[in-house]
Amino acid sequence: MTQALVLGQRALREAWRAPDALLPTLFIPLFFLVVNVGQVAKIFPSQSTDFLHGQGYGAFQLPSSLLLAASFGTAALFLVEEIEGGYFDKLRAAPIPRSAIVLGRLFAEGAKGLVIATALVLVGLIFGITIASGPLGFVLLVLLTALWTIVFAGFMQIIALKTRSAAATNSAGLIFFPLLFLTPNFVPRHLLTRPMEIAASWNPVTYVMEALRSLILVDLDWTRILRGFGVVAVLGALMVALSVRVINNYD
């Protein structure tokens, strides 16, 4: 674990030296939030729309922006650079567990996810969004977003290790967009058409989004919250296990 933390600190310093890589992580989710609210807010006024619980439509859309920001990690691209530059081979030859190489970058991505999620939620608060579940809900909101950052970063690391290609890794990141739009992104799940409802129910991102949304719109709904944390726990464990397996079989 100590080696993983050291490598995680190195990855954070690496990100600090390239702040321009973080700008899209903040700008694009905020852009989508503003555009989606601007297009749809009049259709769902806060006073007469039950699923908004008295808040504006921005509160309903904020979880989508949080998940979008959490899926912009750069860990996999930095990993490809290390593979191409030969530094990755030096790490594999070092007397450290292979899992530490994987976990180090995931720790760094989780830390960045906490900062980015906090910034986005604070921006939402400035523009009138309320966290109905209170201070504990705020903490859980940021934590769940950061955990999803780790899940998606783990998936991207697997692609990077398998392909060793920046182009392929970049392209794989686009898989999040269909996953995002196959969720109750604009309306609750029960208002979707039947085919979309079935697709959303099979999509694990749906349960993370609904957990985030419940923390913003209602008081602590532990059924949805625990379901969201359960999804990221299972997927996170799976991504770490697959990453370690891939790196152990790396030649």
Side-chain angles (χ1 to χ4, degrees):
M1 188 60 70
T2 302
Q3 296 93 332
L5 291 175
V6 170
L7 290 174
Q9 290 171 358
R10 174 184 174 273
L12 285 173
R13 289 193 297 270
E14 188 177 58
W16 181 255
R17 288 195 295 267
D20 54 310
L22 294 177
L23 292 179
T25 308
L26 288 170
F27 173 76
I28 294 177
L30 286 174
F31 173 80
F32 272 94
L33 178 63
V34 171
V35 169
N36 289 341
V37 171
Q39 289 180 342
V40 183
K42 284 190 176 181
I43 301 174
F44 302 114
S46 59
Q47 298 83 358
S48 57
T49 306
D50 292 340
F51 64 77
L52 293 180
H53 299 275
Q55 294 209 54
Y57 191 68
F60 191 83
Q61 276 294 307
L62 181 58
S64 298
S65 294
L66 289 170
L67 289 174
L68 185 58
S71 304
F72 265 97
T74 55
L77 293 176
F78 284 128
L79 179 58
V80 171
E81 288 183 5
E82 289 184 348
I83 292 172
E84 293 175 343
Y87 183 76
F88 183 71
D89 290 327
K90 294 179 182 178
L91 284 178
R92 290 197 305 126
I96 59 174
R98 296 291 177 87
S99 58
I101 302 175
V102 172
L103 292 174
R105 287 203 173 276
L106 295 185
F107 287 157
E109 287 300 302
K112 288 191 291 183
L114 287 172
V115 173
I116 291 168
T118 301
L120 286 174
V121 174
L122 290 177
V123 169
L125 294 177
I126 291 171
F127 285 95
I129 295 173
T130 301
I131 307 301
S133 53
L136 177 57
F138 179 94
V139 172
L140 293 174
L141 187 68
V142 171
L143 179 60
L144 184 56
T145 305
L147 289 174
W148 177 258
T149 304
I150 294 173
V151 170
F152 200 78
F155 165 73
M156 294 295 289
Q157 280 198 153
I158 293 170
I159 301 298
L161 289 168
K162 292 294 287 185
T163 66
R164 310 178 197 183
S165 164
T169 303
N170 233 353
S171 298
L174 297 176
I175 194 174
F176 179 72
F177 285 96
L179 287 175
L180 179 63
F181 286 103
L182 288 174
T183 63
N185 187 27
F186 294 104
V187 293
R189 205 178 345 160
H190 69 274
L191 294 180
L192 297 174
T193 62
R194 185 58 180 163
M196 276 295 296
E197 184 182 0
I198 293 172
S201 298
W202 281 95
N203 183 357
V205 182
T206 292
Y207 302 101
V208 182
M209 178 180 289
E210 288 180 341
L212 294 172
R213 194 167 278 157
S214 73
L215 289 165
I216 296 172
L217 294 175
V218 298
D219 202 355
L220 297 167
D221 182 347
W222 287 110
T223 299
R224 289 187 176 180
I225 294 168
L226 293 176
R227 192 181 294 148
F229 275 94
V231 167
V232 295
V234 171
L235 290 178
L238 179 63
M239 293 305 166
V240 170
L242 290 175
S243 295
V244 172
R245 181 175 179 178
V246 170
I247 199 171
N248 283 333
N249 296 328
Y250 188 93
D251 54 16

